[in-house]
Amino acid sequence: MKTLTIGMIGAGRIGLLHAENLLRNKQVKVKAISDIRVDHLREWAAAEQVETVTADSRALLQDPDLDAVFICSSTDTHVSYIIEAARAGKHIFCEKPISFDPQETAQALAVVKQCGVQLQTGFNRRFDHNFMKVRQLIETGQIGEPHIIRITSRDPELPSYDYIKRSGGLLFDMAIHDFDMARFLAGSEVEEVYVKGAVLVDAKVGELGDIDTAVTLLTFQNGAVCVIDNSRRAAYGYDQRVEVFGSKGSVSVVNDTDSSAEWSTAEGVFREKPKHFFLERYQEAYVRETNAFVASIQAGTPVPVDGHDGYMAEVIAAAAQKSLAEKRPVPVAEMLRAFTHAG
Amino acid sequence: MKTLTIGMIGAGRIGLLHAENLLRNKQVKVKAISDIRVDHLREWAAAEQVETVTADSRALLQDPDLDAVFICSSTDTHVSYIIEAARAGKHIFCEKPISFDPQETAQALAVVKQCGVQLQTGFNRRFDHNFMKVRQLIETGQIGEPHIIRITSRDPELPSYDYIKRSGGLLFDMAIHDFDMARFLAGSEVEEVYVKGAVLVDAKVGELGDIDTAVTLLTFQNGAVCVIDNSRRAAYGYDQRVEVFGSKGSVSVVNDTDSSAEWSTAEGVFREKPKHFFLERYQEAYVRETNAFVASIQAGTPVPVDGHDGYMAEVIAAAAQKSLAEKRPVPVAEMLRAFTHAG
Amino acid sequence: MKTLTIGMIGAGRIGLLHAENLLRNKQVKVKAISDIRVDHLREWAAAEQVETVTADSRALLQDPDLDAVFICSSTDTHVSYIIEAARAGKHIFCEKPISFDPQETAQALAVVKQCGVQLQTGFNRRFDHNFMKVRQLIETGQIGEPHIIRITSRDPELPSYDYIKRSGGLLFDMAIHDFDMARFLAGSEVEEVYVKGAVLVDAKVGELGDIDTAVTLLTFQNGAVCVIDNSRRAAYGYDQRVEVFGSKGSVSVVNDTDSSAEWSTAEGVFREKPKHFFLERYQEAYVRETNAFVASIQAGTPVPVDGHDGYMAEVIAAAAQKSLAEKRPVPVAEMLRAFTHAG
Amino acid sequence: MKTLTIGMIGAGRIGLLHAENLLRNKQVKVKAISDIRVDHLREWAAAEQVETVTADSRALLQDPDLDAVFICSSTDTHVSYIIEAARAGKHIFCEKPISFDPQETAQALAVVKQCGVQLQTGFNRRFDHNFMKVRQLIETGQIGEPHIIRITSRDPELPSYDYIKRSGGLLFDMAIHDFDMARFLAGSEVEEVYVKGAVLVDAKVGELGDIDTAVTLLTFQNGAVCVIDNSRRAAYGYDQRVEVFGSKGSVSVVNDTDSSAEWSTAEGVFREKPKHFFLERYQEAYVRETNAFVASIQAGTPVPVDGHDGYMAEVIAAAAQKSLAEKRPVPVAEMLRAFTHAG
């Protein structure tokens, strides 16, 4: 199998994580990395034998040696990099969300399709050992037809106000993972979205025009109903669970912990708190995600989470925002029409 | 403490259960029991030293020896029995729901208030060891302010079509327990109700004008959001769980089982299914419920679940039905206005 | 079915518990109760319609109305009451241990046999929902042939020094339950006993000639090995668990708790401590135990835990004491020979 | 920090695992690898930039570039390689057991000491996330003084008869891990060993002079008692658990699984089986183990599991074998005297 030569655009926390994971994949050569700031990368790149370090991402995209690029820069740059990468014939891995505007995402995907390259969206949670098991139990029919899906997704700490300002809001920044998870598990498309949002954690979040608590109700074409509950701050840590109830049974997964220890004293019975940090919680999922991308490109088979998956999550997020603003259930068809009209 | 002399109206499954539990309470004398059919009761009453067995419930209500009555007859008879019992100066325990019409319930409660007797509504789940613990952790502040409440309430088997026809529908018959549980746990009143209902278990249920699957979203005045998921048929049995997430943490309870056994073989790792039958699952709760009523009446203190609690659950159920019919979130205030106008 | 008329000898904590449980069994009439002190019993007996209250247990045993007696007096009186009861033709329920001397127990059992009455030994734990499930999984072959049995049995608090002095020692007072449990689960007889005892909880226990910590290794005729670990004081409460590992798998049960609540805060993840008090922990088991006795006597079928079971647990306890004293594994055959010689 | 240059002796399953883990440690250069057969290593070594592949382990040991060696060859070769490596001034990581004869081990350790190098014994389980947490809770005093330690260690499948023949027997091959774990957790030295062994899994194992089931009782100098139960075949997979009960409480850990999924159907409630394969179960532990060795050597601090730890586990294993043979508790002092006499 031919080694896959990859370039990285964006060397922030997540870009470097992907780079480290790719460096451990023996099928991969990480040849180039770009970022706005590059000074901090030189020593690392030398040690890891990454040949090119550049502040010029557009130049990187033109490197004829590259088979694929990872786009891990800020969200507002994704669409233009995707279009350029596709035109340069590179396969693409793009972090989530592709953009804050499904219409723009659709335009980028049209170019991707036209150029005959593949694009994987960075929904890492699909590669988590727990959620994969849930999906497998559904696919093998052990749970029957899904009726009710429950997703709990709560962050351990409120992000900085600065982050919140440019995050696209809780629904686009945080719940978008859950919208994708819902589609992953339901095996059906969302028909209607209803959101109740609240500012319960920190009043300042409301002043910034965002919410910190949300419960979203998704209705699927196959009749299944999904409930997602989000909070920007769970006092006990990062809370990531799902449950799927179907015609033949139910399956649920709970949080990962650092150990299975249970200890009992005169004060009570104690267990470990959930793994706190998302990079630690999804460490293995990130590795599987990049390896799955590499394997698909090498084999010429479809990537496991494609651009349409990214687009649909954004459409749901846009419907969710509308539901929040207009305090009513919003049919997804209404959104899709809107985008078509605009297009 | 003076022994409490009690009469039972309605000797069906739940009436006899309450009677058996009262017979074990040394503070109580069960003096009389009435039902439409009485033949099957004579031997039992003799063995248990219950003096009066009668088909005339109205006569029973006039027995001057009785301090209190349990109304366990069919729902459509509750209101008139409550009014007569109150006028006869009897304290009242009434099974849930008090009626299918909150307006009628309000009228009965007005008479109860006027006559200076007490009325307890039969929301037995408030007396369950698991849910009591959740409430206690909230009341002691360990979870902080409630933000998100999740209630799972799924029956083990679809009831008969006959039962469904006269049940008042899933929302009034089944979810009403959960509407009360939500109020019990939130410590706040419901402001808005939104329901997604579906017929996923059995198409015949839809033909009968009912649903078999529902997800209800309740928004509380204090900002908390509650999600209730109901199904008429969980393949694995009776599923009764809650989770409350608050500003300081989260608490959840799971199903009771016949044993804590976990066994592992080459085929897999196995545990017990949930207790299947509601009378078994809530056996202790029923005992605590009746004992709490007896203790309150003896002490002259307020009963733990009063008529207003019964009324509010019905108001929420009525709002839920309206939400289902009109496919929109229904403010509870809208319902309360409707009842006032009618009154 | 003819009502069983029962007399109680000994009205301490456990005697009154059995009496209360029998009073709730509709197949039973509790006619008489005796104790050294009777003043505190009169009001209770009147309320419960127990006709006879007496300080003369021997007179009670001669009451021709009695079909059976419960012997719940102090251990040193069991053997003589058993012999008299048997000679009076009464069926017998006797609390554990029957005596501190297997030889005396054997003599009493000989009289029981001769008189054709039945005797049930009060090993209540056989009727616990958890341990019954373990046994059932073994009996149905799901675990295969037992290879390793692990029993954890730890008390929540050190008893008073007075109690310890007359208790017969940890092995005869506390571990005897576990010796019976081992036989119950192994389905085989014990061949060898080895004990490591220690004084780790309170040095005063050692001064009284007893131990407070013990690990006992029982080897069975079928090759299975059982490990019992005992402590007189578990800081977190009453700890009662078993695990059986066999050729086809393993089964374990854990402690019962007041609720299934799990709560998570910034401080950690918490669960309920085990039920603390043995009368509460085994509340249902005590009910099942007495009801099983009643049902067996009424049906004329063998009682579920007979005198031989009581005897064998004592033989194992005696072997355990010898092992402790002589610091070596003691074959049970060696004990059985000793008793025969003495007999 | 200076890069550590390491040579590998033995490229079997475990040797290659260590090599792969070392290759991911940026502080390490793996320069050389030796094995009896080397053909299968050439391609791998080229890809991984391991310079030297040789069948001559003795030559490898003389390479002046090497700071340390990993000895992963067959047990009978450990002692001579240790002695040569120490004399060549290399720090040593040696797989367990160092030898089947504590006397020989003691001689090797004497040379190690004399030469001023460090030796780490490959007790990987000390680096397992679960067991580390148990140890941490003990060290921080949360459990109090250890009173009772329970170790369950059961293999998923009987090894081949060939393997059994040259394994040193269950006690030296398998239980030796548990003897070390007991010392790791007790924080005290073993005083006495008593073993009950049995052939319950496969009669052929008995014919080969070995046992397949063992329960070992270790008594510690501080009074704590440890029970280890071993089986060569648990039908449900690899079973690795511990529990420590102390004066202030108890802590236990259970098996790792591929996911936390619990699924419920009409057939029952199911969970994942334990991770089956030891290399997968202890994957992270192996990484931590090698990284800890590297860090200690670089920092010049004592390695976390030294030669004395390896020696003591062997002494306990030898006492256990003697106990099995002579059917009596064997004081460890008796063994130590024996070795001294021989020395």
Side-chain angles (χ1 to χ4, degrees), chain D residues 296-312:
Chain D
S296 295
I297 299 305
Q298 282 194 317
T301 54
V303 291
V305 201
D306 64 14
H308 181 68
D309 292 319
Y311 171 70
M312 284 310 300

Side-chain angles (χ1 to χ4, degrees), chain D residues 228-247:
Chain D
I228 299 164
D229 71 85
N230 294 115
S231 172
R232 280 287 196 188
R233 202 186 76 86
Y236 50 90
Y238 194 38
D239 196 350
Q240 300 279 293
R241 290 170 290 147
V242 313
E243 173 179 333
V244 180
F245 169 77
S247 54

Side-chain angles (χ1 to χ4, degrees), chain B residues 26 48 129-130 250 258 264, chain C residues 26 48 129 250 258 260 264:
Chain B
K26 295 181 182 178
E48 298 294 353
H129 63 138
N130 289 330
S250 190
D258 282 344
S264 305
Chain C
K26 296 181 182 180
E48 299 292 355
H129 62 138
S250 190
D258 282 344
S260 64
S264 305

Side-chain angles (χ1 to χ4, degrees), chain D residues 234-265:
Chain D
Y236 50 90
Y238 194 38
D239 196 350
Q240 300 279 293
R241 290 170 290 147
V242 313
E243 173 179 333
V244 180
F245 169 77
S247 54
K248 289 190 184 168
S250 191
V251 54
S252 61
V253 288
V254 296
N255 290 305
D256 284 352
T257 53
D258 282 344
S259 82
S260 65
E262 179 170 298
W263 59 104
S264 305
T265 72

Side-chain angles (χ1 to χ4, degrees), chain A residues 73-93:
Chain A
S73 49
S74 64
T75 301
D76 56 346
T77 67
H78 288 178
V79 162
S80 63
Y81 286 141
I82 288 172
I83 290 172
E84 288 184 48
R87 288 189 176 144
K90 314 301 186 199
H91 297 291
I92 300 159
F93 179 103

